[in-house]
Amino acid sequence: MTLIDATAVPLGGPSLVQERRLVTAIPGPRSQELLARKADAVPAGVGHTVPIQAVAAGGGIVVDADGNSLIDLGSGIAVTTVGNAHPKVVAAVQAQAAQFTHTCFMISPYESYVAVAEALNRLTPGDHVKKTALFNSGAEAVENAVKIARKYTGKPAVVAFDHGYHGRTNLTMALTAKAMPYKSGFGPFAGEIYRAPLSYPFRDGLSGPDAARRAITMMEKQVGADNLAAIVIEPIQGEGGFIVPAEGFLEALVEWCRANNVVFIADEVQTGFARTGEMFASDGFGIVPDLVTTAKGIAAGLPLAAVTGRAEIMDASHAGGLGGTYGGNPIACAAALAAIDVFENDGMLERAREVGEILTGRLRELQASDPRIGDVRGKGAMVAAEFIDAETGEPDAALAASVAKASIAQGVIVLTCGTYGNVIRFLPPLSIGDDLLNDGLDVVAAALADN
Ligand code: PLZ
């Protein structure tokens, strides 16, 4: 068992040399060694996309144990939006860790939890009175949002949508649409969960209002508003393929929910915190959800998640009904306060839009000369290309997989997604420079040309 010589490892953060540099094949020997240990020690169910041993990251770079520098176009699935090992986050974490690491907020409260709640109450869409409860993961936040909505309405049913992703716990598996790899063999799932059709303009060609009517008819006829506590929807589907609904779809659903005492839960776990060029994707659609779930970008990589919403809904649960040992851990809260400072004061919304323009511009250019790119879509720095068979228009998952694999082999971290597995998504940290981003996109373009 060889551990990495710490003196040879660069510090992470923005001071890392910002260039793609391969000194071995991917994976190099040290990475291979770790992956062999992983295969022996960690179950096969816990997969990995990029076969490296990460040792440092920052700016737009991930460095591996073999000394390779890879361009990061995935942010650890939309988490390190402010940049990996951001100096403000590092300082906040170090200071809090030296102060105390845990008391349990339900036993001895501390200020940072309350400050994160205040910040989320202020930043999430709508100027109504809000409250926030903190948890550890996106899935846990979604589960709690459902609990809160059921308690408030006294109704049992929940509607999720086609292509939705909400987590891997039992209730959130039930809410998640895709069987493989998320659900297959892991049932039975939680009851009283129903699935409504989404708006997927590239594939259904429906206007927003028409797609909403289709979903509302399903909810009225197959569930019944009298039985329905909440609908849970990602404003832009993340794992499901970065599907941006047609204009008017979300607005019509919100309106129907209001008229029918149904809680509208926006799952902004992937879309939240500047990712879409707005603080929350809901802002870009002009909708005000009743409850918003957040995680990922909120704390730059420390495990933290939240449910924020209308005070009267959030307050419906009895004392002791919500919580958990670690929810709102002080180190995670310190990281969140530092990240929120960066989101609010360091031009992150503007940067997300700039990064988005580069991504969309470059991908549209590629699409113009390659009919295998069926659709380029997204908002801000959340952009994807959907790959199709140029003749039939059918999803081409094999092409997306081989372009992603070839890009990774050339030192560019890209992630696939989509119900059909035929989408490559781009979620770079907003600390990435234009040159690095363009180099990464050059590599993806070359990989596509070779495939
Ligand atoms: N809601 C919208 O995107 C997490 C998970 C990938 P957790 N998405 C990435 C995988 O293979 O596990 C996600 C999300 C949306 C909820 C979640 C769940 O968040 O923090 O992973 O529990």
Side-chain angles (χ1 to χ4, degrees):
M1 193 194 320
T2 358
L3 292 173
I4 298 301
D5 170 9
T7 56
V9 174
L11 274 183
S15 62
L16 267 184
V17 181
Q18 295 295 303
E19 66 176 12
R20 181 170 60 98
R21 197 168 74 104
L22 295 185
V23 296
T24 71
I26 303 285
R30 280 171 180 253
S31 294
Q32 282 178 34
E33 206 177 308
L34 181 73
L35 296 176
R37 280 169 56 197
K38 174 183 180 258
D40 288 340
V42 181
V46 183
H48 62 264
T49 303
V50 183
I52 60 166
Q53 175 181 181
V55 294
I61 287 290
V62 175
V63 178
D64 77 8
D66 297 290
N68 297 301
S69 290
L70 294 85
I71 298 178
D72 184 8
L73 301 185
S75 303
I77 328 189
V79 171
T80 53
T81 309
V82 298
N84 223 310
H86 188 292
K88 284 186 180 174
V89 174
V90 172
V93 165
Q94 286 174 336
Q96 179 57 49
Q99 210 66 40
F100 63 95
T101 50
H102 175 81
T103 60
C104 187
F105 188 74
M106 301 182 304
I107 304 300
S108 312
Y110 38 87
E111 201 236 339
S112 56
Y113 184 121
V114 177
V116 170
E118 288 166 347
L120 289 172
N121 296 342
R122 176 169 56 79
L123 290 171
T124 49
D127 51 15
H128 49 282
V129 182
K130 294 173 217 154
K131 294 200 173 178
T132 290
L134 299 180
F135 303 98
N136 302 293
S137 70
E140 209 189 333
V142 173
E143 288 236 14
N144 277 279
V146 168
K147 278 172 63 173
I148 290 164
R150 282 177 167 157
K151 184 80 181 175
Y152 172 72
T153 60
K155 299 192 276 186
V158 179
V159 160
F161 284 78
D162 284 339
H163 311 289
Y165 181 90
H166 302 287
R168 294 169 176 275
T169 58
N170 188 264
L171 176 65
T172 57
M173 274 194 294
L175 294 168
T176 291
K178 192 172 172 176
M180 270 307 272
Y182 306 124
K183 303 168 75 166
S184 212
F186 298 136
F189 303 114
E192 283 303 309
I193 308 286
Y194 302 86
R195 191 166 310 286
L198 188 71
S199 163
Y200 190 164
F202 177 62
R203 297 210 166 264
D204 66 23
L206 292 179
S207 74
D210 284 348
R213 217 165 330 208
R214 182 174 66 172
I216 288 166
T217 302
M218 176 273 161
M219 293 193 283
E220 286 181 340
K221 301 304 170 199
Q222 298 182 41
V223 186
D226 288 350
N227 306 308
L228 185 56
I231 72 173
V232 184
I233 188 164
E234 302 157 84
I236 300 174
Q237 266 60 25
E239 304 304 309
F242 281 26
I243 305 166
V244 184
E247 211 183 303
F249 177 73
L250 293 170
E251 296 88 317
L253 292 182
V254 170
E255 203 178 307
W256 182 83
C257 285
R258 293 279 132 80
N260 289 281
N261 187 33
V262 173
V263 176
F264 184 99
I265 303 171
D267 181 352
E268 294 242 20
V269 165
Q270 191 152 162
T271 52
F273 297 101
R275 182 46 62 189
T276 64
E278 307 274 354
M279 197 59 88
F280 295 96
S282 295
D283 293 318
F285 293 103
I287 60 165
V288 177
D290 298 311
L291 300 181
V292 179
T293 56
T294 53
K296 292 193 186 280
I298 189 177
L302 279 284
L304 189 71
V307 182
T308 302
R310 294 184 189 281
E312 67 273 21
I313 302 178
M314 295 296 295
D315 275 333
S317 299
H318 46 272
L322 304 175
T325 306
Y326 297 115
N329 167 272
I331 299 176
C333 286
L337 291 172
I340 290 168
D341 171 18
V342 176
F343 284 125
E344 285 203 276
N345 301 313
D346 295 351
M348 288 294 111
L349 302 185
E350 296 73 21
R351 185 60 190 149
R353 290 180 202 143
E354 285 167 13
V355 164
E357 267 164 41
I358 295 174
L359 285 169
T360 312
R362 292 286 312 269
L363 293 170
R364 293 245 155 90
E365 216 174 272
L366 269 183
Q367 183 188 22
S369 61
D370 195 328
R372 296 173 301 169
I373 300 184
D375 195 23
V376 173
R377 57 177 178 252
K379 285 201 177 191
M382 179 172 188
V383 176
E386 174 159 355
F387 293 88
I388 58 169
D389 181 307
E391 257 97 74
T392 62
E394 287 298 307
D396 193 344
L399 179 60
S402 67
V403 171
K405 190 164 177 235
S407 301
I408 290 167
Q410 289 305 312
V412 179
I413 298 174
V414 291
L415 311 177
T416 58
C417 64
T419 297
Y420 314 110
N422 66 325
V423 177
I424 293 185
R425 58 176 149 175
F426 300 90
L427 299 150
L430 300 177
S431 51
I432 196 170
D434 289 1
D435 290 349
L436 212 52
L437 179 57
N438 277 306
D439 183 26
L441 290 167
D442 287 343
V443 167
V444 174
L448 179 61
D450 288 346
N451 264 277

